[in-house]
Amino acid sequence: MSTELHETARALVAEGKGILAADESDSTIKKRFDSIDLESTEENRRAYRDMLFTAPGAEEYISGVILFDETIRQSSVDDTPFPKLLESKGIIPGIKVDKGAKPLPLAQEETITEGLDGLRERLKEYYDLGARFAKWRATYSISDTLPSDYCIWTNAHALARYAALCEEANIVPIVEPEVLQDGTHTIERSYHVTCRVLDALYTELFDQRVDIFGTLLKPNMVLSGYDAPNRAGADEVAEWTLKCFYKHVPAAVPGIVFLSGGQSDEDATAHLNAMNARGPHPWQISFSYGRALQAPAIKAWAGKPENVEAGQHAYYHRAKMNSAARTGMYAPEMEREAVTA
Ligand code: 13P
């Protein structure tokens, strides 16, 4: 197996760096634009991504960017294709390749992620367009009875099929099993469900001969449900999340790059920091945030060309805070210091 994969995987979790997830599907980016009253046209989506990708200095903290199919084919104002623009800054272009979570047949309220048909050919094209890593997201809901073993194992099988096809194409697969944290569940319940999901995932990855050294894991953090009473604080989140990973994630995995889910941007940073403060760990512990890197940026930009600099500043600031959280040296006071500096 080529070491290009290993090198790319390690570069994505280089010291102090993490990933920007800018791969929102058309329906998701529309929701984000609705929040600033902006129509989701192809040009507005291009202008928004252009603002993020040309942010001065972001490459100090950002190792890779996950793109959507439309975005990987778009260009900056000076006609530089986005993958080329990112590469010129030393940022690795990535691509979301799943086709979304669809209803799981013969199940209730569960999903299976689709997108395997034709994936081998699509990966070849994405490699030619510059992508060196990919993402596939499966989702699981928590209730008293869910997720079912059926949902856990069918999604694990699909994640492993995707990962094997990526490695064949010399593209690093980020495997993303997201246990959604909506609801009133306790942190213990989130822990048990996340453990079952990861156990199935690594069983399938081994069975399907995936080289684990050439992969990254993009999981949820183990949290109390967003509507639970007495939600766990950062220390408890770090303890339960690490306990789960120490039991279920092989040391061969070069890095764990968290998604932010519905956490506030500062919570996502504080939780990442609490985990790294307990290091060193067998894997790099980093971020692959969408909302937690972009929320203040989209608000500051608000779709107006005169706000591009303000949007870039907000994005740069969150990237810097999360970079600090990679070392366990983040403190909430840094949020204010950086703003007044
Ligand atoms: P969030 O950080 O907004 O959860 O997005 C990350 C992601 O890529 C979800 O698939």
Side-chain angles (χ1 to χ4, degrees):
M1 185 78 66
S2 143
T3 60
E4 182 185 338
L5 281 173
H6 301 178
E7 281 165 22
T8 305
R10 281 199 302 267
L12 286 166
V13 288
E15 206 176 309
K17 291 189 182 180
I19 296 170
L20 166 68
D23 60 324
E24 295 84 1
S25 62
D26 287 343
S27 60
T28 304
I29 197 74
K30 183 183 177 310
K31 273 190 237 156
R32 306 281 182 265
F33 281 6
D34 283 349
S35 74
I36 53 165
D37 242 344
L38 183 69
E39 197 188 341
S40 181
T41 62
E42 185 175 347
E43 173 50 23
N44 284 342
R45 294 191 291 270
R46 194 208 60 76
Y48 175 59
R49 269 69 182 246
D50 204 359
M51 187 264 296
L52 294 175
F53 303 162
T54 56
E59 62 275 14
E60 296 163 48
Y61 312 119
I62 300 295
S63 56
V65 173
I66 315 176
L67 305 167
F68 187 58
D69 181 76
E70 175 185 88
T71 325
I72 200 170
R73 302 168 197 280
Q74 287 178 320
S75 299
S76 191
V77 264
D78 67 357
D79 281 339
T80 311
F82 281 145
K84 288 269 170 306
L85 170 75
L86 294 168
E87 275 166 29
S88 73
K89 290 166 161 271
I91 295 176
I92 305 171
I95 181 76
K96 169 194 173 79
V97 301
D98 68 71
K99 297 257 184 182
K102 306 285 161 62
L104 180 68
L106 309 183
Q108 276 177 358
E109 294 167 32
E110 294 193 287
T111 61
I112 178 74
T113 298
E114 294 188 351
L116 289 169
D117 287 355
L119 182 56
R120 176 177 270 138
E121 291 70 30
R122 288 200 290 132
L123 287 167
K124 272 202 198 91
E125 189 195 3
Y126 288 139
Y127 189 95
D128 291 342
L129 287 168
R132 292 295 177 270
F133 73 103
K135 171 189 124 172
W136 177 288
R137 172 174 175 256
T139 59
Y140 317 81
S141 300
I142 301 183
S143 74
D144 290 345
T145 52
L146 301 181
S148 65
D149 281 344
Y150 168 36
C151 173
I152 288 176
W153 285 92
T154 46
N155 275 296
H157 187 81
L159 274 159
R161 285 204 55 206
Y162 140 82
L165 284 163
C166 283
E167 291 199 339
E168 182 188 80
N170 256 324
I171 288 180
V172 168
I174 295 188
V175 287
E176 181 179 0
E178 178 176 4
V179 179
L180 301 165
Q181 303 297 313
D182 303 294
T184 57
H185 61 262
T186 61
I187 194 165
E188 289 89 338
R189 176 98 182 106
S190 176
Y191 165 81
H192 284 296
V193 170
T194 306
C195 286
R196 282 170 61 211
V197 164
L198 293 177
D199 182 48
L201 174 62
Y202 284 100
T203 302
E204 286 289 345
L205 288 171
F206 281 112
D207 284 355
Q208 296 188 44
R209 307 179 181 179
V210 173
D211 173 16
I212 301 295
F213 288 101
T215 66
L216 294 174
L217 173 67
K218 176 163 174 167
N220 54 285
M221 294 181 192
V222 173
L223 305 174
S224 316
Y226 291 129
D227 297 321
N230 306 316
R231 301 189 63 226
D235 284 330
E236 263 188 289
V237 167
E239 299 287 344
W240 283 102
T241 306
L242 289 170
K243 184 171 159 186
C244 173
F245 294 162
Y246 270 82
K247 285 172 71 174
H248 295 283
V249 182
V253 173
I256 296 174
V257 292
F258 284 102
L259 58 94
S260 59
Q263 301 178 71
S264 73
D265 33 296
E266 290 189 25
D267 276 358
T269 308
H271 290 159
L272 180 65
N273 188 68
M275 282 183 257
N276 277 310
R278 285 161 171 74
H281 301 298
W283 347 261
Q284 292 294 311
I285 294 198
S286 184
F287 57 92
S288 174
Y289 292 160
R291 283 162 285 182
L293 277 171
Q294 295 183 47
I298 198 167
K299 212 168 140 198
W301 174 61
K304 301 196 170 76
E306 64 270 27
N307 291 341
V308 162
E309 222 176 289
Q312 290 179 331
H313 184 79
Y315 162 53
Y316 178 85
H317 173 67
R318 287 263 49 86
K320 186 175 176 176
M321 294 300 102
N322 285 304
S323 173
R326 288 277 276 110
T327 61
M329 300 297 282
Y330 165 80
E333 299 77 57
M334 291 165 64
E335 301 281 352
R336 287 183 293 282
E337 279 164 25
V339 171
T340 51

PDB file of all heavy atoms in Angstrom, residues 20-24 32 66 96 98 135-137 176 178 218 258-263 288-294, ligand 1:
ATOM      1  N   LEU A  20     -11.088  22.524   7.871  1.00  0.00           N
ATOM      2  CA  LEU A  20     -12.335  23.281   7.697  1.00  0.00           C
ATOM      3  C   LEU A  20     -13.282  22.427   6.866  1.00  0.00           C
ATOM      4  O   LEU A  20     -12.945  22.024   5.747  1.00  0.00           O
ATOM      5  CB  LEU A  20     -12.064  24.599   6.951  1.00  0.00           C
ATOM      6  CG  LEU A  20     -13.328  25.313   6.414  1.00  0.00           C
ATOM      7  CD1 LEU A  20     -14.199  25.840   7.548  1.00  0.00           C
ATOM      8  CD2 LEU A  20     -12.946  26.454   5.456  1.00  0.00           C
ATOM      9  N   ALA A  21     -14.469  22.131   7.401  1.00  0.00           N
ATOM     10  CA  ALA A  21     -15.501  21.438   6.625  1.00  0.00           C
ATOM     11  C   ALA A  21     -16.360  22.504   5.946  1.00  0.00           C
ATOM     12  O   ALA A  21     -17.130  23.203   6.601  1.00  0.00           O
ATOM     13  CB  ALA A  21     -16.343  20.542   7.537  1.00  0.00           C
ATOM     14  N   ALA A  22     -16.154  22.664   4.628  1.00  0.00           N
ATOM     15  CA  ALA A  22     -16.922  23.648   3.853  1.00  0.00           C
ATOM     16  C   ALA A  22     -17.670  22.906   2.748  1.00  0.00           C
ATOM     17  O   ALA A  22     -17.732  23.355   1.611  1.00  0.00           O
ATOM     18  CB  ALA A  22     -15.990  24.700   3.269  1.00  0.00           C
ATOM     19  N   ASP A  23     -18.198  21.748   3.113  1.00  0.00           N
ATOM     20  CA  ASP A  23     -18.792  20.842   2.120  1.00  0.00           C
ATOM     21  C   ASP A  23     -20.308  20.769   2.273  1.00  0.00           C
ATOM     22  O   ASP A  23     -20.917  19.749   1.942  1.00  0.00           O
ATOM     23  CB  ASP A  23     -18.205  19.441   2.299  1.00  0.00           C
ATOM     24  CG  ASP A  23     -18.484  18.871   3.685  1.00  0.00           C
ATOM     25  OD1 ASP A  23     -18.479  19.660   4.658  1.00  0.00           O
ATOM     26  OD2 ASP A  23     -18.705  17.648   3.808  1.00  0.00           O
ATOM     27  N   GLU A  24     -20.919  21.858   2.738  1.00  0.00           N
ATOM     28  CA  GLU A  24     -22.375  21.845   2.921  1.00  0.00           C
ATOM     29  C   GLU A  24     -23.064  21.540   1.594  1.00  0.00           C
ATOM     30  O   GLU A  24     -22.722  22.122   0.561  1.00  0.00           O
ATOM     31  CB  GLU A  24     -22.862  23.213   3.428  1.00  0.00           C
ATOM     32  CG  GLU A  24     -22.371  23.597   4.813  1.00  0.00           C
ATOM     33  CD  GLU A  24     -20.981  24.227   4.809  1.00  0.00           C
ATOM     34  OE1 GLU A  24     -20.397  24.391   3.724  1.00  0.00           O
ATOM     35  OE2 GLU A  24     -20.472  24.542   5.903  1.00  0.00           O
ATOM     36  N   ARG A  32     -27.992  27.864   6.001  1.00  0.00           N
ATOM     37  CA  ARG A  32     -27.015  28.822   6.551  1.00  0.00           C
ATOM     38  C   ARG A  32     -27.259  30.223   5.965  1.00  0.00           C
ATOM     39  O   ARG A  32     -27.185  31.218   6.673  1.00  0.00           O
ATOM     40  CB  ARG A  32     -25.582  28.394   6.234  1.00  0.00           C
ATOM     41  CG  ARG A  32     -25.230  26.973   6.653  1.00  0.00           C
ATOM     42  CD  ARG A  32     -24.928  26.810   8.135  1.00  0.00           C
ATOM     43  NE  ARG A  32     -24.570  25.428   8.424  1.00  0.00           N
ATOM     44  CZ  ARG A  32     -25.422  24.497   8.864  1.00  0.00           C
ATOM     45  NH1 ARG A  32     -26.672  24.811   9.125  1.00  0.00           N
ATOM     46  NH2 ARG A  32     -25.015  23.257   9.087  1.00  0.00           N
ATOM     47  N   ILE A  66     -12.612  20.562   3.277  1.00  0.00           N
ATOM     48  CA  ILE A  66     -13.516  19.623   2.588  1.00  0.00           C
ATOM     49  C   ILE A  66     -14.464  20.425   1.709  1.00  0.00           C
ATOM     50  O   ILE A  66     -15.130  21.353   2.187  1.00  0.00           O
ATOM     51  CB  ILE A  66     -14.346  18.775   3.579  1.00  0.00           C
ATOM     52  CG1 ILE A  66     -13.472  18.243   4.727  1.00  0.00           C
ATOM     53  CG2 ILE A  66     -15.027  17.619   2.837  1.00  0.00           C
ATOM     54  CD1 ILE A  66     -14.250  17.480   5.792  1.00  0.00           C
ATOM     55  N   LYS A  96     -16.402  15.852  -0.176  1.00  0.00           N
ATOM     56  CA  LYS A  96     -17.485  15.024   0.388  1.00  0.00           C
ATOM     57  C   LYS A  96     -17.992  14.140  -0.740  1.00  0.00           C
ATOM     58  O   LYS A  96     -18.344  14.637  -1.807  1.00  0.00           O
ATOM     59  CB  LYS A  96     -18.607  15.946   0.861  1.00  0.00           C
ATOM     60  CG  LYS A  96     -19.907  15.252   1.221  1.00  0.00           C
ATOM     61  CD  LYS A  96     -21.008  16.330   1.340  1.00  0.00           C
ATOM     62  CE  LYS A  96     -22.373  15.748   1.535  1.00  0.00           C
ATOM     63  NZ  LYS A  96     -22.583  15.327   2.919  1.00  0.00           N
ATOM     64  N   ASP A  98     -20.257  11.261  -0.108  1.00  0.00           N
ATOM     65  CA  ASP A  98     -21.515  10.548   0.112  1.00  0.00           C
ATOM     66  C   ASP A  98     -22.665  11.339  -0.494  1.00  0.00           C
ATOM     67  O   ASP A  98     -22.527  12.533  -0.777  1.00  0.00           O
ATOM     68  CB  ASP A  98     -21.745  10.274   1.609  1.00  0.00           C
ATOM     69  CG  ASP A  98     -21.999  11.548   2.394  1.00  0.00           C
ATOM     70  OD1 ASP A  98     -23.081  12.147   2.226  1.00  0.00           O
ATOM     71  OD2 ASP A  98     -21.117  11.955   3.178  1.00  0.00           O
ATOM     72  N   LYS A 135     -14.631  12.497   2.476  1.00  0.00           N
ATOM     73  CA  LYS A 135     -15.453  12.345   3.678  1.00  0.00           C
ATOM     74  C   LYS A 135     -16.753  11.621   3.345  1.00  0.00           C
ATOM     75  O   LYS A 135     -17.331  11.828   2.270  1.00  0.00           O
ATOM     76  CB  LYS A 135     -15.769  13.732   4.230  1.00  0.00           C
ATOM     77  CG  LYS A 135     -16.797  13.722   5.347  1.00  0.00           C
ATOM     78  CD  LYS A 135     -17.236  15.121   5.710  1.00  0.00           C
ATOM     79  CE  LYS A 135     -18.747  15.222   5.577  1.00  0.00           C
ATOM     80  NZ  LYS A 135     -19.281  16.493   6.098  1.00  0.00           N
ATOM     81  N   TRP A 136     -17.189  10.765   4.263  1.00  0.00           N
ATOM     82  CA  TRP A 136     -18.469  10.062   4.142  1.00  0.00           C
ATOM     83  C   TRP A 136     -19.100  10.085   5.531  1.00  0.00           C
ATOM     84  O   TRP A 136     -18.476   9.635   6.497  1.00  0.00           O
ATOM     85  CB  TRP A 136     -18.234   8.623   3.685  1.00  0.00           C
ATOM     86  CG  TRP A 136     -19.448   7.738   3.574  1.00  0.00           C
ATOM     87  CD1 TRP A 136     -20.187   7.206   4.589  1.00  0.00           C
ATOM     88  CD2 TRP A 136     -20.029   7.244   2.360  1.00  0.00           C
ATOM     89  NE1 TRP A 136     -21.183   6.410   4.090  1.00  0.00           N
ATOM     90  CE2 TRP A 136     -21.112   6.415   2.713  1.00  0.00           C
ATOM     91  CE3 TRP A 136     -19.731   7.411   0.994  1.00  0.00           C
ATOM     92  CZ2 TRP A 136     -21.899   5.757   1.774  1.00  0.00           C
ATOM     93  CZ3 TRP A 136     -20.522   6.754   0.064  1.00  0.00           C
ATOM     94  CH2 TRP A 136     -21.595   5.938   0.452  1.00  0.00           C
ATOM     95  N   ARG A 137     -20.323  10.618   5.624  1.00  0.00           N
ATOM     96  CA  ARG A 137     -20.953  10.796   6.937  1.00  0.00           C
ATOM     97  C   ARG A 137     -22.162   9.880   7.086  1.00  0.00           C
ATOM     98  O   ARG A 137     -23.047   9.867   6.231  1.00  0.00           O
ATOM     99  CB  ARG A 137     -21.401  12.246   7.091  1.00  0.00           C
ATOM    100  CG  ARG A 137     -22.243  12.561   8.319  1.00  0.00           C
ATOM    101  CD  ARG A 137     -22.462  14.069   8.372  1.00  0.00           C
ATOM    102  NE  ARG A 137     -23.345  14.492   9.445  1.00  0.00           N
ATOM    103  CZ  ARG A 137     -24.619  14.859   9.249  1.00  0.00           C
ATOM    104  NH1 ARG A 137     -25.157  14.814   8.028  1.00  0.00           N
ATOM    105  NH2 ARG A 137     -25.357  15.257  10.269  1.00  0.00           N
ATOM    106  N   GLU A 176     -16.803   9.140   8.980  1.00  0.00           N
ATOM    107  CA  GLU A 176     -17.550  10.007   9.896  1.00  0.00           C
ATOM    108  C   GLU A 176     -18.842   9.341  10.365  1.00  0.00           C
ATOM    109  O   GLU A 176     -19.884   9.475   9.721  1.00  0.00           O
ATOM    110  CB  GLU A 176     -17.875  11.354   9.219  1.00  0.00           C
ATOM    111  CG  GLU A 176     -18.626  12.301  10.151  1.00  0.00           C
ATOM    112  CD  GLU A 176     -18.941  13.662   9.522  1.00  0.00           C
ATOM    113  OE1 GLU A 176     -18.584  13.891   8.358  1.00  0.00           O
ATOM    114  OE2 GLU A 176     -19.560  14.477  10.216  1.00  0.00           O
ATOM    115  N   GLU A 178     -21.564   9.837  12.761  1.00  0.00           N
ATOM    116  CA  GLU A 178     -22.017  10.896  13.679  1.00  0.00           C
ATOM    117  C   GLU A 178     -23.222  10.442  14.493  1.00  0.00           C
ATOM    118  O   GLU A 178     -24.328  10.304  13.956  1.00  0.00           O
ATOM    119  CB  GLU A 178     -22.393  12.188  12.931  1.00  0.00           C
ATOM    120  CG  GLU A 178     -22.907  13.253  13.921  1.00  0.00           C
ATOM    121  CD  GLU A 178     -23.225  14.618  13.332  1.00  0.00           C
ATOM    122  OE1 GLU A 178     -23.136  14.787  12.092  1.00  0.00           O
ATOM    123  OE2 GLU A 178     -23.583  15.517  14.128  1.00  0.00           O
ATOM    124  N   LYS A 218     -13.654  10.856  12.027  1.00  0.00           N
ATOM    125  CA  LYS A 218     -14.346  12.122  12.337  1.00  0.00           C
ATOM    126  C   LYS A 218     -15.594  11.792  13.147  1.00  0.00           C
ATOM    127  O   LYS A 218     -16.659  11.534  12.587  1.00  0.00           O
ATOM    128  CB  LYS A 218     -14.706  12.840  11.039  1.00  0.00           C
ATOM    129  CG  LYS A 218     -15.517  14.115  11.243  1.00  0.00           C
ATOM    130  CD  LYS A 218     -15.495  15.008  10.019  1.00  0.00           C
ATOM    131  CE  LYS A 218     -16.423  16.183  10.217  1.00  0.00           C
ATOM    132  NZ  LYS A 218     -16.218  17.234   9.221  1.00  0.00           N
ATOM    133  N   PHE A 258     -12.640  15.937  15.179  1.00  0.00           N
ATOM    134  CA  PHE A 258     -14.039  16.024  15.591  1.00  0.00           C
ATOM    135  C   PHE A 258     -14.889  16.888  14.678  1.00  0.00           C
ATOM    136  O   PHE A 258     -14.419  17.884  14.126  1.00  0.00           O
ATOM    137  CB  PHE A 258     -14.127  16.621  16.997  1.00  0.00           C
ATOM    138  CG  PHE A 258     -13.745  15.652  18.073  1.00  0.00           C
ATOM    139  CD1 PHE A 258     -12.498  15.725  18.661  1.00  0.00           C
ATOM    140  CD2 PHE A 258     -14.627  14.664  18.471  1.00  0.00           C
ATOM    141  CE1 PHE A 258     -12.137  14.825  19.646  1.00  0.00           C
ATOM    142  CE2 PHE A 258     -14.276  13.757  19.448  1.00  0.00           C
ATOM    143  CZ  PHE A 258     -13.025  13.835  20.043  1.00  0.00           C
ATOM    144  N   LEU A 259     -16.166  16.522  14.574  1.00  0.00           N
ATOM    145  CA  LEU A 259     -17.176  17.422  14.012  1.00  0.00           C
ATOM    146  C   LEU A 259     -17.701  18.246  15.185  1.00  0.00           C
ATOM    147  O   LEU A 259     -17.518  17.864  16.353  1.00  0.00           O
ATOM    148  CB  LEU A 259     -18.300  16.607  13.369  1.00  0.00           C
ATOM    149  CG  LEU A 259     -19.040  15.609  14.269  1.00  0.00           C
ATOM    150  CD1 LEU A 259     -20.277  16.221  14.877  1.00  0.00           C
ATOM    151  CD2 LEU A 259     -19.384  14.368  13.511  1.00  0.00           C
ATOM    152  N   SER A 260     -18.334  19.382  14.879  1.00  0.00           N
ATOM    153  CA  SER A 260     -18.822  20.186  16.002  1.00  0.00           C
ATOM    154  C   SER A 260     -20.284  19.891  16.338  1.00  0.00           C
ATOM    155  O   SER A 260     -20.735  20.208  17.442  1.00  0.00           O
ATOM    156  CB  SER A 260     -18.615  21.680  15.751  1.00  0.00           C
ATOM    157  OG  SER A 260     -19.262  22.132  14.592  1.00  0.00           O
ATOM    158  N   GLY A 261     -21.033  19.305  15.398  1.00  0.00           N
ATOM    159  CA  GLY A 261     -22.446  18.998  15.685  1.00  0.00           C
ATOM    160  C   GLY A 261     -23.181  20.297  15.953  1.00  0.00           C
ATOM    161  O   GLY A 261     -22.930  21.291  15.304  1.00  0.00           O
ATOM    162  N   GLY A 262     -24.043  20.326  16.927  1.00  0.00           N
ATOM    163  CA  GLY A 262     -24.772  21.566  17.214  1.00  0.00           C
ATOM    164  C   GLY A 262     -24.170  22.374  18.358  1.00  0.00           C
ATOM    165  O   GLY A 262     -24.825  23.238  18.926  1.00  0.00           O
ATOM    166  N   GLN A 263     -22.908  22.104  18.704  1.00  0.00           N
ATOM    167  CA  GLN A 263     -22.294  22.836  19.828  1.00  0.00           C
ATOM    168  C   GLN A 263     -22.044  24.294  19.443  1.00  0.00           C
ATOM    169  O   GLN A 263     -21.800  24.599  18.280  1.00  0.00           O
ATOM    170  CB  GLN A 263     -20.930  22.238  20.173  1.00  0.00           C
ATOM    171  CG  GLN A 263     -20.945  20.790  20.556  1.00  0.00           C
ATOM    172  CD  GLN A 263     -19.519  20.295  20.841  1.00  0.00           C
ATOM    173  OE1 GLN A 263     -18.907  20.651  21.840  1.00  0.00           O
ATOM    174  NE2 GLN A 263     -18.993  19.471  19.956  1.00  0.00           N
ATOM    175  N   SER A 288     -12.420  19.073  12.682  1.00  0.00           N
ATOM    176  CA  SER A 288     -12.862  19.166  11.290  1.00  0.00           C
ATOM    177  C   SER A 288     -14.242  19.813  11.375  1.00  0.00           C
ATOM    178  O   SER A 288     -15.258  19.175  11.122  1.00  0.00           O
ATOM    179  CB  SER A 288     -12.931  17.775  10.665  1.00  0.00           C
ATOM    180  OG  SER A 288     -13.498  17.850   9.369  1.00  0.00           O
ATOM    181  N   TYR A 289     -14.233  21.081  11.781  1.00  0.00           N
ATOM    182  CA  TYR A 289     -15.485  21.756  12.106  1.00  0.00           C
ATOM    183  C   TYR A 289     -16.091  22.450  10.888  1.00  0.00           C
ATOM    184  O   TYR A 289     -15.381  23.030  10.071  1.00  0.00           O
ATOM    185  CB  TYR A 289     -15.255  22.821  13.184  1.00  0.00           C
ATOM    186  CG  TYR A 289     -14.895  22.293  14.558  1.00  0.00           C
ATOM    187  CD1 TYR A 289     -14.262  23.120  15.490  1.00  0.00           C
ATOM    188  CD2 TYR A 289     -15.206  20.995  14.943  1.00  0.00           C
ATOM    189  CE1 TYR A 289     -13.939  22.666  16.760  1.00  0.00           C
ATOM    190  CE2 TYR A 289     -14.885  20.536  16.210  1.00  0.00           C
ATOM    191  CZ  TYR A 289     -14.245  21.381  17.116  1.00  0.00           C
ATOM    192  OH  TYR A 289     -13.932  20.923  18.374  1.00  0.00           O
ATOM    193  N   GLY A 290     -17.423  22.403  10.829  1.00  0.00           N
ATOM    194  CA  GLY A 290     -18.165  23.193   9.861  1.00  0.00           C
ATOM    195  C   GLY A 290     -18.680  24.417  10.575  1.00  0.00           C
ATOM    196  O   GLY A 290     -18.064  25.492  10.560  1.00  0.00           O
ATOM    197  N   ARG A 291     -19.804  24.244  11.285  1.00  0.00           N
ATOM    198  CA  ARG A 291     -20.431  25.381  11.957  1.00  0.00           C
ATOM    199  C   ARG A 291     -19.519  26.086  12.952  1.00  0.00           C
ATOM    200  O   ARG A 291     -19.501  27.308  13.040  1.00  0.00           O
ATOM    201  CB  ARG A 291     -21.723  24.923  12.656  1.00  0.00           C
ATOM    202  CG  ARG A 291     -22.866  24.744  11.706  1.00  0.00           C
ATOM    203  CD  ARG A 291     -23.961  23.891  12.302  1.00  0.00           C
ATOM    204  NE  ARG A 291     -23.591  22.474  12.333  1.00  0.00           N
ATOM    205  CZ  ARG A 291     -24.383  21.507  12.778  1.00  0.00           C
ATOM    206  NH1 ARG A 291     -25.576  21.796  13.258  1.00  0.00           N
ATOM    207  NH2 ARG A 291     -23.997  20.253  12.741  1.00  0.00           N
ATOM    208  N   ALA A 292     -18.753  25.330  13.742  1.00  0.00           N
ATOM    209  CA  ALA A 292     -17.950  25.957  14.801  1.00  0.00           C
ATOM    210  C   ALA A 292     -16.787  26.784  14.253  1.00  0.00           C
ATOM    211  O   ALA A 292     -16.191  27.571  14.980  1.00  0.00           O
ATOM    212  CB  ALA A 292     -17.433  24.895  15.777  1.00  0.00           C
ATOM    213  N   LEU A 293     -16.455  26.628  12.972  1.00  0.00           N
ATOM    214  CA  LEU A 293     -15.455  27.518  12.364  1.00  0.00           C
ATOM    215  C   LEU A 293     -16.118  28.625  11.554  1.00  0.00           C
ATOM    216  O   LEU A 293     -15.557  29.692  11.368  1.00  0.00           O
ATOM    217  CB  LEU A 293     -14.524  26.723  11.430  1.00  0.00           C
ATOM    218  CG  LEU A 293     -13.345  25.986  12.058  1.00  0.00           C
ATOM    219  CD1 LEU A 293     -12.680  25.075  11.029  1.00  0.00           C
ATOM    220  CD2 LEU A 293     -12.300  26.958  12.621  1.00  0.00           C
ATOM    221  N   GLN A 294     -17.332  28.342  11.072  1.00  0.00           N
ATOM    222  CA  GLN A 294     -17.943  29.281  10.122  1.00  0.00           C
ATOM    223  C   GLN A 294     -19.017  30.192  10.699  1.00  0.00           C
ATOM    224  O   GLN A 294     -19.317  31.231  10.098  1.00  0.00           O
ATOM    225  CB  GLN A 294     -18.587  28.499   8.974  1.00  0.00           C
ATOM    226  CG  GLN A 294     -17.626  27.730   8.096  1.00  0.00           C
ATOM    227  CD  GLN A 294     -18.375  27.057   6.962  1.00  0.00           C
ATOM    228  OE1 GLN A 294     -19.195  27.664   6.292  1.00  0.00           O
ATOM    229  NE2 GLN A 294     -18.114  25.773   6.771  1.00  0.00           N
TER     230      GLN A 294
HETATM  231  P1  13P B   1     -20.276  20.538  11.890  1.00  0.00           P
HETATM  232  O1  13P B   1     -18.946  20.836  12.540  1.00  0.00           O
HETATM  233  O2  13P B   1     -21.098  21.760  11.616  1.00  0.00           O
HETATM  234  O3  13P B   1     -21.006  19.433  12.584  1.00  0.00           O
HETATM  235  O4  13P B   1     -19.925  20.009  10.427  1.00  0.00           O
HETATM  236  C1  13P B   1     -18.945  19.076  10.274  1.00  0.00           C
HETATM  237  C2  13P B   1     -19.302  18.164   9.185  1.00  0.00           C
HETATM  238  O5  13P B   1     -18.564  18.029   8.239  1.00  0.00           O
HETATM  239  C3  13P B   1     -20.574  17.418   9.286  1.00  0.00           C
HETATM  240  O6  13P B   1     -20.609  16.412   8.327  1.00  0.00           O
END
